[in-house]
Amino acid sequence: MDSDNAGGGAPSILNGRKPNILYLWLGDKIFTTVVVMLGASIIMLALGMAWVLFDEGSLSLREYGFINFIKGKTWDPAVQLVFGAWPFIFGTVITSTMALLIAFFPALAVAIFSAEYAPPWLSGIIDNLVQLIAAIPSVVIGIWGIFVLAPWLRDTVYMPIYLWTELNQPGLLPILGNPIGYGMATATIVLALMIVPYTTALAKDAIKSVPKDQREASWALGSTRWEVIRMAVLPYARGGITAGAILSLGRAIGETMAVAMLIGNKNTLPFSIFGAGATMPSVIVNEFREAVESLHLSSLMAIGFVLFIIALIVNLTAAYINRKLSIGGGQIL
Amino acid sequence: MRRRRIHDKIIEILLVIATIAVLLPLIIIIFHVIVEGVSALNYEFFTEELGSPSRAIQGRPTGLVHTILGTIVVDMLALAIAVPIGIGAGMMLSEYPEHMLNPTLRIMNDTLNGMPAILKGLFAFVLIVKPMGTFSGLAGGVALSFVMLPIIARATESALLSIPWTIREAGLALGIPRWRVVISAVMPAAKTGLATGLLLAFARAAGEAAPLLFTSFGNNYLPDRWFGFIFNPVDTLPQRLYSLAISPYSEWHSMGWAAAIVLLVMVILAFAFARFVTRGKVQLK
């Protein structure tokens, strides 16, 4: 040991304190192993989720075949025991895309206002309030929808439209459906409200990431503030904004409780605008606890698997667009 | 030029209107929840069990004490599961950037984050409820931990990455092994970022009802002390709020509004606290 002190000068700091092999080398080994195992467990969870949903749904998927299960228009757990997912896929796609269409422009407007117009203090308040919308639990929005929004919409919006149509265009009534207040339209409106924060936050990030030169060049050309935004900022940020919109669509597709509480829950096509409908998450919530037939349970799991695939595609698309459009952009000089 | 200026003004006014239109529902919702719920928010609400519907209809004292306790147990279980795994995964992403699993981990973490919470409930149902043969608080905690995990992992990664590499290099130059640098130098420096991640994950998971419906299931009574909260069906606020809201009894509806107040306060507190800790440094995604 002492021979380490070969220089003969001041004793080494390591004298008498042999560096612990456990501390130095094994410590790092253990730490790395633990950290990598924890990281790998997330990978396993994501893969495991896909596998479990597929495996549990396989009874139903084998019975009908994947394509026929998706295309199947009848969902009857009571009498015929026939299960087809199409009504719910249709309901999910319609409600979430309509919600995105309603939410997109207001959300973009809020992002533009908060990023470009509002003074910092106001912008901070707006951002926090918008994020607060995202923080409100889905069930709280659901209970508000059941007791406040749906009756209000029924009395002040749906009924007048329905009565007007009845007088003037009776042929359109089947499309309009029963204005009971709980149905596709109400669910869509609530969904739109719930995805606004996501669209806004992601659009604002994209707008904020536009370099200063880009704006200054436009200002120097004599543009007004709106022209700067329209011609210099928005084209540059469009990748991020689009990706944000698609991610919000993903949120809308997976939104469960508020929709299940407001959509009226009807399993048979055709759905109408005001009438009751169902989405993939809502049917799982409504029937999973009561499902006794193994084919019924398995079909619900299979719907979960289809939902997994749709959510996966939406998320990957958003990531792809974000990379494709925001870095290359085509606008950077 | 004048026309362009007017155009500019009109756009500005439209943007203001849109902003108000988006924020108005928030205020309306909070207003209604408070007005409708505050009358049912009495002493019994915090001390009595719910029991059967007749209890509320006959005006006997009912409350949601079992729900509030259950929520605390399930949320704490979820945190206990999600925090170590999430922080570990975040560490892997930030401290071992060269690790070959990292690109996969990042994609899988984002995938998990983008998955509807109800699928996490189905997953936890198959993993825990089926083998155990009964709905349980444990299963609820596991389901919620799936909701929290990706948020914590992402927040940990960005919190640790915001610590300059020079701090790690200084530590390594002193001969401190890498793991000790991470635990004793990097983690303390990043603690506000870590805390924000935990609070946001909690705020998000605490409001989720969908994954709990098939895992902790719900219970009108207090489970047996103490392990009953873990191994028996347990009531939680979001799931109870759903059951109360779709029940046909008006007494239960007002209890539902009161539950909404409690839930809203809990979530907003966590959210506001997360905001306060960072004071505008990190954006919620």
Side-chain angles (χ1 to χ4, degrees):
Chain A
M1 278 298 133
D2 284 350
S3 62
D4 276 358
N5 206 353
S12 160
I13 194 168
L14 296 178
N15 260 7
R17 245 192 81 198
K18 190 171 169 234
N20 193 339
I21 188 95
L22 197 81
Y23 177 80
L24 274 183
W25 180 80
L26 209 58
D28 257 356
K29 277 274 176 224
I30 293 171
F31 185 71
T32 318
T33 317
V34 168
V35 163
V36 169
M37 269 168 53
L38 293 175
S41 67
I42 287 195
I43 298 177
M44 273 154 53
L45 276 181
L47 296 176
M49 204 164 113
W51 167 249
V52 158
L53 291 173
F54 174 75
D55 187 47
E56 295 284 317
S58 62
L59 178 67
S60 171
L61 291 174
R62 253 203 307 276
E63 171 93 19
Y64 300 107
F66 187 69
I67 301 295
N68 282 328
F69 178 71
I70 290 178
K71 284 200 305 195
K73 291 194 177 57
T74 325
W75 178 274
D76 186 354
V79 187
Q80 310 167 57
L81 282 181
V82 173
F83 300 97
W86 180 248
F88 312 112
I89 297 174
F90 177 76
T92 302
V93 169
I94 292 288
T95 47
S96 48
T97 33
M98 289 310 292
L100 180 62
L101 285 180
I102 297 173
F104 182 70
F105 288 102
L108 186 59
V110 176
I112 294 173
F113 182 73
S114 154
E116 301 282 329
Y117 286 82
W121 63 270
L122 182 60
S123 153
I125 292 176
I126 292 175
D127 287 359
N128 277 321
L129 286 179
V130 169
Q131 295 310 325
L132 203 54
I133 301 179
I136 297 182
S138 176
V139 273
V140 173
I141 295 189
I143 194 175
W144 176 75
I146 287 184
F147 295 116
V148 182
L149 182 69
W152 182 82
L153 280 173
R154 181 187 59 212
D155 296 341
T156 51
V157 184
Y158 300 163
M159 279 317 275
I161 295 179
Y162 188 80
L163 294 177
W164 183 89
T165 318
E166 199 171 24
L167 283 180
N168 301 297
Q169 299 281 338
L172 289 178
L173 282 184
I175 303 174
L176 222 49
N178 256 342
I180 43 170
Y182 305 97
M184 303 279 279
T186 312
T188 307
I189 291 168
V190 164
L191 268 183
L193 170 68
M194 295 179 77
I195 61 173
V196 159
Y198 297 98
T199 321
T200 304
L202 294 163
K204 195 185 170 190
D205 280 357
I207 290 171
K208 281 276 175 200
S209 70
V210 175
K212 239 182 169 171
D213 322 10
Q214 189 85 4
R215 293 161 212 269
E216 282 166 359
S218 185
W219 282 114
L221 289 171
S223 312
T224 62
R225 175 134 58 165
W226 172 242
E227 285 162 351
V228 171
I229 294 167
R230 187 167 57 89
M231 296 196 270
V233 175
L234 290 185
Y236 194 99
R238 63 166 197 259
I241 293 173
T242 317
I246 295 177
L247 280 178
S248 311
L249 183 70
R251 288 272 162 214
I253 287 172
E255 179 47 57
T256 309
M257 297 315 293
V259 173
M261 290 160 94
L262 292 172
I263 202 165
N265 301 311
K266 174 180 148 220
N267 290 347
T268 45
L269 287 169
F271 296 157
S272 49
I273 298 175
F274 296 155
T279 65
M280 289 188 273
S282 80
V283 72
I284 299 178
V285 160
N286 280 314
E287 298 188 2
F288 195 81
R289 280 154 62 120
E290 277 98 44
V292 278
E293 293 287 336
S294 57
L295 186 62
H296 188 190
L297 258 175
S298 168
S299 300
L300 288 169
M301 285 288 190
I303 286 190
F305 181 65
V306 176
L307 183 57
F308 183 96
I309 300 220
I310 294 179
L312 187 66
I313 293 173
V314 167
N315 280 295
L316 291 181
T317 314
Y320 176 77
I321 289 180
N322 198 17
R323 205 162 347 125
K324 193 85 181 168
L325 284 181
S326 69
I327 300 173
Q331 303 288 324
I332 315 166
L333 287 173
Chain B
M1 192 63 204
R2 237 194 76 156
R3 233 189 64 229
R4 286 168 60 207
R5 289 253 170 268
I6 293 172
H7 188 72
D8 199 48
K9 257 289 161 269
I10 292 174
I11 294 285
E12 190 172 344
I13 292 166
L14 284 178
L15 291 178
V16 173
I17 292 173
T19 308
I20 294 171
V22 164
L23 295 181
L24 201 61
L26 172 75
I27 293 154
I28 296 176
I29 291 173
I30 293 181
F31 169 80
H32 274 122
V33 168
I34 293 172
V35 167
E36 303 275 340
V38 90
S39 60
L41 207 59
N42 44 24
Y43 177 72
E44 279 87 27
F45 184 87
F46 294 101
T47 53
E48 296 287 332
E49 303 174 314
L50 182 66
S52 63
S54 63
R55 211 157 139 175
I57 293 167
Q58 294 165 5
R60 278 183 287 155
T62 61
L64 295 180
V65 61
H66 62 301
T67 314
I68 293 166
L69 289 178
T71 310
I72 294 171
V73 170
V74 170
D75 286 352
M76 288 305 132
L77 273 173
L79 276 175
I81 300 166
V83 165
I85 302 180
I87 288 186
M91 268 182 191
M92 178 171 165
L93 288 171
S94 80
E95 302 305 310
Y96 298 93
E98 73 287 350
H99 199 281
M100 62 175 194
L101 273 180
N102 272 359
T104 323
L105 174 55
R106 213 166 262 128
I107 293 173
M108 290 301 165
N109 195 53
D110 286 353
T111 306
L112 204 57
N113 197 20
M115 279 307 141
I118 187 167
L119 296 183
K120 295 165 185 170
L122 290 180
F123 188 32
F125 173 85
V126 176
L127 282 189
I128 312 284
V129 177
K130 265 186 135 182
M132 274 177 67
T134 168
F135 299 102
S136 63
L138 177 67
V142 169
L144 284 192
S145 78
F146 294 158
V147 177
M148 294 177 175
L149 259 178
I151 305 174
I152 296 180
R154 259 294 147 114
T156 304
E157 185 199 1
S158 62
L160 295 184
L161 279 180
S162 71
I163 306 305
W165 277 99
T166 45
I167 287 193
R168 299 178 178 87
E169 281 158 8
L172 294 172
L174 288 172
I176 305 172
R178 204 166 167 180
W179 66 275
R180 199 59 209 274
V181 170
V182 175
I183 288 177
S184 304
V186 183
M187 293 281 285
K191 64 175 182 291
T192 50
L194 295 177
T196 315
L198 296 193
L199 286 165
L200 290 180
F202 174 79
R204 174 83 162 289
E208 289 286 2
L212 295 174
L213 288 170
F214 338 121
T215 49
S216 63
F217 197 76
N219 190 342
N220 284 12
Y221 300 91
L222 272 170
D224 302 333
R225 245 166 276 184
W226 293 94
F227 288 108
F229 275 110
I230 297 175
F231 297 115
N232 288 351
V234 169
D235 228 23
T236 48
L237 271 172
Q239 155 266 317
R240 174 53 56 190
L241 171 47
Y242 170 68
S243 316
L244 292 175
I246 62 171
S247 75
Y249 318 107
S250 65
E251 289 83 1
W252 277 18
H253 294 163
S254 51
M255 282 183 85
W257 283 106
I261 292 191
V262 177
L263 189 60
L264 207 53
V265 165
M266 200 167 89
V267 169
I268 289 180
L269 270 187
F271 182 75
F273 199 61
R275 279 283 148 142
F276 175 75
V277 170
T278 43
R279 283 184 212 102
K281 272 186 276 179
V282 184
Q283 272 281 318
L284 164 69
K285 288 277 158 55

